[in-house]
């Protein structure tokens, strides 16, 4: 960037405040010019990182570029999204099943040897107990697994193990097991169960299937993290409500001094399953830790812990208790020693509780309401402080807090570049703030979310940019752009769909009784066939192939009045099925702008009324010729 541009950007930004526009409450503002330069991605330039943010109960994942923070794509996962035709074609409709939403919390990029390999991203659905896989070659959801048997409120998910052997899953809301079982709430402490689990991932295809489950005491399992390096083979989950309380948890679950972190030796869990030491419950292989010791332990933790975050070297597990001002660092070595010596302070339902002082490496005095921790490439950790609305930077090893930066406001998760891998990239940190009052121009009572880009290259953290993030920003991950290799088109040769056609002469409408099958081509700027004649009540199947081999030449297929919109990318075939229950004439048209003649890209579905007679639709007019009824359905 030229010096002139730098000056212009800086001047423009400073000008905004000088001219006395509605001022933002400035909490911390460093050198505005420097901030502008370091986040400005000039026209034609590209961002350095992808940011994948959870979309919470929108059921989506949002993709942005860093440092520009520009939102560049939406990946629908658990919710229909007409923008990409997701949830309207046969395949994605079946994948969504009977659900119309999901609660996405923790995106998790697949790993090889503890680093992002950029093949897939897994996400959890906290609400309907599902997990999904997104293919990072085309940024599309390819599989949804679940509802996972026995799991209730899948929150501690979908963190991956270092070679993506498993993605983690856990019950946030303990409940009777299996899910169809009933027990009165008075029996919560004994009849309700927690579950922690590993969902198996096929290393070649990414296909997910049920792995192992472990039945646990009825705590609320919160967040998970997989061991790496020396701790590879282990998984850790924080939990709250050690009291096994019900009702007003705010009070009832804050009686004891400590909660627990569950430490699972997943290699031992894998072996227990192989040795047949499990019960099948609702189709899942479930380990009972009382009957099979040596799989799970409990570690006491500061009250109401939330985040569990293994350090890049895999030597420590950092767990933060929301209700204390410290974050607890456990040493993996010490955990192994304590287990060896059976240095226990008690048990919960037969699961040994390891003595706290035997495994505690440090208690870091980070500040109020610590939630999550991420890491950089210089040996520093960054912990989000919800109550204090700040990020604390501290040194691994000396456990000293070296810097703190206020954020606006109430930060939840934070995301450093590849900050949960064995080789974090440093440079940027993003504060995913829960409440954001006053950071954006007002749009009414719901204030737009704010996430803040923070520079972490220097000694001091620097606030660089206030960005909008779609709700609800739970976790996010940032990955180097070069690691991903997105495809440009679906090559014709790779299309194995038996209903794909590539030549206009193969386009046709076939009838078999009341089943009508259409093989259709979309290419600039036509649909072939451009006329489909059916009878009212026919079951219609349209297989639509976009025969383009030019990137970004998408075509949509919207059918007027039928609530259908599918989108086909270049080289892709999609199928849509519907019953032609509305008689009349309905246009279908291309919904993706594709060429100068995009508007002309249309055709007609002609639905002959049952019984053959009568107008399909009519308008009623009064004696003066004014419209009185817009539409009248033909008699059925
Ligand atoms: S959780 S902060 Cu799933 Cu941390 Cu939202
Ligand atoms: Cu095809 Cu617009």
């Amino acid at each position: 960037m030229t010096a002139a541009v730098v000056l212009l950007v800086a001047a423009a930004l400073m000008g905004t405040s000088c001219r006395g526009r509605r001022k933002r409450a400035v909490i911390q503002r460093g050198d505005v010019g420097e901030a502008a330069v370091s986040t400005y991605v000039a026209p034609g330039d590209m961002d350095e990182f992808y940011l994948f943010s959870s979309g919470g109960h929108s059921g989506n994942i949002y993709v942005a570029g860093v440092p520009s923070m520009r939102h560049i794509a939406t990946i629908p996962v658990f919710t229909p999204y007409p923008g990409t035709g997701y949830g309207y074609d046969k395949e994605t409709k079946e994948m969504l099943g009977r659900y119309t939403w999901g609660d996405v919390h923790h995106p998790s990029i697949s790993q090889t040897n503890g680093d992002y390999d950029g093949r897939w991203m897994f996400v959890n659905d906290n609400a309907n107990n599902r997990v999904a896989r997104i293919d990072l070659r085309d940024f599309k959801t390819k599989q949804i697994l679940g509802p996972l048997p026995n799991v209730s409120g899948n929150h501690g998910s979908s963190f991956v193990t270092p070679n993506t052997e498993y993605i983690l899953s856990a019950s946030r809301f303990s409940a009777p097991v299996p899910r169809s079982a009933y027990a009165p709430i008075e029996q919560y402490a004994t009849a309700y169960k927690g579950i922690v689990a590993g969902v198996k991932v096929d290393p070649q295809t990414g296909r997910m299937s049920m792995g192992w489950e472990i039945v646990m005491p009825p705590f609320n399992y919160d967040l998970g993290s997989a061991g790496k390096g020396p701790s590879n083979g282990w998984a850790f989950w924080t939990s709250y409500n050690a009291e096994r309380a019900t009702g007003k948890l705010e009070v009832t679950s804050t009686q004891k001094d400590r909660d627990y972190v569950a430490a699972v030796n997943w290699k031992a869990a894998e072996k227990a399953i192989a040795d047949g030491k499990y019960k099948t419950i609702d189709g899942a292989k479930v380990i009972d830790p009382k009957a099979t010791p040596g799989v799970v332990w409990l570690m006491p933790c500061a009250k109401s812990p939330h985040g569990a975050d293994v350090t890049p070297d895999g030597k420590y597990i950092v767990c933060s208790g929301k209700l204390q001002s410290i974050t607890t660092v456990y040493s993996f070595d010490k955990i192994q020693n304590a287990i060896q010596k059976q240095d226990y302070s008690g048990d919960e339902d037969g699961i040994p509780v390891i003595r706290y002082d035997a495994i505690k490496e440090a208690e870091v005095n980070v500040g109020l309401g610590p939630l999550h921790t991420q890491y950089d490439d210089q040996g520093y950790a960054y912990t989000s402080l919800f109550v204090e609305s700040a990020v604390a930077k501290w040194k691994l090893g000396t456990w000293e807090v070296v810097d703190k930066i206020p954020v606006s406001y109430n930060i939840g998760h934070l995301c450093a570049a590849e900050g949960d891998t064995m080789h974090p990239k440093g440079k940027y940190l993003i504060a995913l703030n829960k409440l954001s009052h006053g950071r954006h121009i007002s749009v009414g009572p719901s204030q737009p979310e704010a996430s803040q880009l923070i520079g972490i290259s220097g000694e001091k953290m620097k606030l660089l940019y206030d960005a909008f993030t779609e709700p609800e920003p739970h976790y996010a991950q940032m990955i180097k752009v070069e690691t991903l290799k997105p495809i440009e088109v679906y090559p014709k040769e790779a299309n194995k769909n038996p209903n794909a056609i590539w030549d206009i002469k193969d386009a046709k409408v076939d009838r078999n009784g009341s089943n009508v099958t259409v093989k259709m081509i979309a290419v600039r700027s036509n649909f072939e066939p451009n006329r489909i004649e059916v009878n009212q009540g026919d079951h219609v199947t349209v297989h639509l192939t976009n025969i383009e081999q030019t990137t970004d030449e998408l075509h949509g297929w919207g059918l007027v009045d039928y609530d259908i919109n599918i989108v086909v990318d270049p080289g892709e075939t999609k199928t849509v099925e519907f019953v032609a229950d509305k008689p009349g004439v309905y246009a279908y048209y291309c919904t993706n702008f594709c060429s100068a003649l995009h508007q002309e890209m249309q055709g007609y579905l002609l639905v002959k009324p049952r019984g053959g007679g009568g107008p399909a639709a009519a308008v009623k007019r009064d004696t003066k010729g004014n419209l009185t009824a817009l539409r009248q359905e033909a008699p059925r």
Side-chain angles (χ1 to χ4, degrees):
M1 185 181 338
T2 65
V5 175
V6 173
L7 281 173
L8 271 176
V9 174
L13 275 169
M14 288 187 285
T16 309
S17 48
C18 298
R19 273 196 306 273
R21 279 203 214 157
R22 215 167 102 91
K23 265 203 191 140
R24 298 184 298 177
V26 177
I27 285 222
Q28 169 137 349
R29 187 137 120 179
D31 182 335
V32 175
E34 190 190 332
V37 171
S38 50
T39 57
Y40 183 66
V41 176
D45 286 354
M46 295 288 170
D47 277 304
E48 210 179 324
F49 291 94
Y50 286 98
L51 175 70
F52 293 89
S53 298
S54 119
H57 44 284
S58 76
N60 300 328
I61 286 286
Y62 299 105
V63 188
V66 176
S68 77
M69 299 301 281
R70 289 184 293 222
H71 173 194
I72 55 169
T74 295
I75 307 173
V77 184
F78 296 114
T79 306
Y81 187 68
T84 58
Y86 185 76
Y88 296 84
D89 66 289
K90 189 170 189 279
E91 202 181 329
T92 56
K93 205 173 168 173
E94 282 173 7
M95 207 156 67
L96 290 174
R98 63 188 178 88
Y99 297 98
T100 60
W101 76 292
D103 189 4
V104 171
H105 274 244
H106 314 116
S108 202
I109 296 171
S110 57
Q111 296 186 3
T112 299
N113 298 325
D115 288 317
Y116 297 157
D117 59 22
R119 296 201 287 169
W120 312 297
M121 165 170 283
F122 300 91
V123 299
N124 66 316
D125 171 8
N126 180 64
N128 303 309
N129 306 316
R130 294 172 295 170
V131 281
R133 184 184 80 253
I134 295 163
D135 194 323
L136 291 179
R137 281 171 313 175
D138 58 3
F139 288 53
K140 285 182 188 164
T141 305
K142 294 296 166 68
Q143 188 193 1
I144 294 178
L145 182 72
L148 304 171
N150 310 318
V151 176
S152 160
N154 183 33
H155 188 260
S157 186
S158 53
F159 312 98
V160 303
T161 55
N163 285 298
T164 321
E165 297 93 338
Y166 292 97
I167 58 174
L168 307 185
S169 162
S171 284
R172 175 164 156 207
F173 313 112
S174 288
V177 165
R179 299 288 294 112
S180 55
Y182 178 84
I185 195 83
E186 289 72 24
Q187 292 172 17
Y188 182 86
T190 51
Y192 286 47
K193 301 291 171 203
I195 292 283
V196 295
V199 172
K200 214 175 165 60
V201 177
D202 181 289
Q204 254 67 56
T205 63
R207 190 124 205 112
M208 303 175 289
S209 59
M210 290 310 296
W212 43 265
E213 288 190 348
I214 303 171
V215 67
M216 298 290 290
F219 311 144
N220 295 60
Y221 296 88
D222 205 7
L223 279 143
S225 186
K228 49 188 125 183
S231 55
N232 184 15
W234 287 70
F236 305 91
W237 281 272
T238 56
S239 72
Y240 53 95
N241 192 14
E243 293 80 359
R244 309 182 185 215
T246 57
K248 208 174 181 180
L249 286 194
E250 205 181 6
V251 180
T252 56
S253 78
T254 51
Q255 302 302 312
K256 295 193 170 184
D257 312 336
R258 293 198 185 282
D259 277 307
Y260 294 113
V261 175
V264 170
N265 179 339
W266 62 255
K267 293 214 164 143
E270 210 171 37
K271 183 162 184 303
I273 299 289
D275 295 346
K277 293 181 188 158
Y278 63 86
K279 261 196 231 139
T280 303
I281 305 177
D282 202 9
K285 294 173 177 168
V286 184
I287 298 167
D288 175 358
K290 233 185 295 175
T292 309
V295 175
V296 55
W297 291 263
L298 293 169
M299 319 196 291
C301 186
K303 203 56 195 155
S304 274
H306 188 54
D309 300 282
V310 174
T311 53
D313 61 9
K315 289 187 184 163
Y316 305 103
I317 305 101
V318 175
C319 297
S320 299
K322 302 189 284 279
L323 298 187
Q324 299 194 359
S325 59
I326 53 146
T327 189
T328 310
V329 182
Y330 301 95
S331 148
F332 182 72
D333 259 358
K334 290 184 180 173
I335 295 169
Q336 297 310 299
N337 279 334
I339 289 173
Q340 202 119 65
K341 289 196 247 145
Q342 305 205 347
D343 194 351
Y344 301 147
S345 57
D347 79 292
E348 293 274 1
D349 296 357
I351 302 172
V353 175
I354 313 176
R355 198 169 56 83
Y356 179 70
D357 285 319
I359 52 179
K360 176 199 77 179
E361 181 72 28
E363 287 177 344
V364 186
N365 213 323
V366 283
L368 297 178
L371 293 189
H372 300 279
T373 301
Q374 291 267 293
Y375 306 97
D376 72 4
D377 53 342
Q378 312 286 323
Y380 290 99
Y382 300 81
T383 300
S384 58
L385 305 171
F386 179 83
V387 177
E388 203 173 315
S389 290
V391 173
K393 173 180 178 180
W394 49 281
K395 183 91 185 151
L396 292 168
T398 69
W399 321 116
E400 261 167 352
V401 175
V402 296
D403 190 25
K404 219 176 237 193
I405 188 169
V407 294
S408 312
Y409 302 85
N410 295 121
I411 180 175
H413 278 264
L414 72 185
C415 163
E418 310 200 6
D420 57 3
T421 68
M422 291 193 78
H423 298 93
K425 297 288 178 282
K427 201 158 179 181
Y428 299 114
L429 176 83
I430 293 164
L432 300 154
N433 303 321
K434 294 296 189 194
L435 299 170
S436 57
H437 11 259
R439 301 311 283 187
H440 304 290
I441 47 178
S442 174
V443 296
S446 169
Q447 301 262 326
E449 312 291 331
S451 49
Q452 296 180 301
L453 181 69
I454 296 168
I456 55 169
S457 305
E459 209 180 299
K460 288 251 158 225
M461 293 180 276
K462 281 183 188 156
L463 180 59
L464 300 178
Y465 194 70
D466 263 26
F468 167 69
T469 310
E470 295 276 351
E472 179 58 37
H474 292 279
Y475 193 33
Q477 284 184 328
M478 220 192 296
I479 178 172
K480 265 261 172 222
V481 163
E482 301 80 63
T483 314
L484 298 195
K485 303 271 178 295
I487 55 172
E488 306 254 294
V489 294
Y490 295 106
K492 179 180 172 185
E493 317 74 60
N495 184 328
K496 299 279 182 277
N497 191 313
N499 296 306
I501 53 168
W502 301 92
D503 195 319
I504 283 179
K505 70 178 193 322
D506 297 323
K508 59 180 173 195
V509 181
D510 279 332
R511 170 176 291 282
N512 181 357
S514 60
N515 289 316
V516 176
T517 305
V518 183
K519 289 197 176 168
M520 190 184 285
I521 276 178
V523 66
R524 274 165 289 170
S525 302
N526 291 299
F527 290 114
E528 196 64 43
N530 52 37
R531 182 212 303 178
I532 307 168
E533 288 178 70
V534 302
N535 299 318
Q536 185 185 1
D538 280 349
H539 186 273
V540 184
T541 306
V542 178
H543 304 292
L544 179 62
T545 304
N546 175 351
I547 65 171
E548 310 266 2
Q549 290 285 281
T550 309
T551 194
D552 206 30
E553 276 303 337
L554 281 62
H555 300 287
W557 194 80
L559 178 57
V560 167
D561 263 358
Y562 264 81
D563 196 34
I564 286 171
N565 178 50
I566 62 173
V567 175
V568 276
D569 291 358
E572 193 178 37
T573 302
K574 276 187 182 167
T575 298
V576 62
E577 283 184 1
F578 60 95
V579 176
D581 50 3
K582 276 189 273 196
V585 177
Y586 300 91
Y588 48 87
Y589 69 101
C590 179
T591 48
N592 264 72
F593 207 100
C594 54
S595 73
L597 293 172
H598 155 82
Q599 288 298 84
E600 281 77 358
M601 190 165 172
Q602 64 165 58
Y604 280 106
L605 170 76
L606 300 109
V607 186
K608 282 195 204 98
R610 213 174 258 133
V619 290
K620 272 192 180 172
R621 292 179 190 276
D622 64 17
T623 47
K624 290 191 186 121
N626 293 326
L627 230 49
T628 59
L630 279 178
R631 177 165 203 92
Q632 195 183 39
E633 299 282 338
R636 300 218 166 175

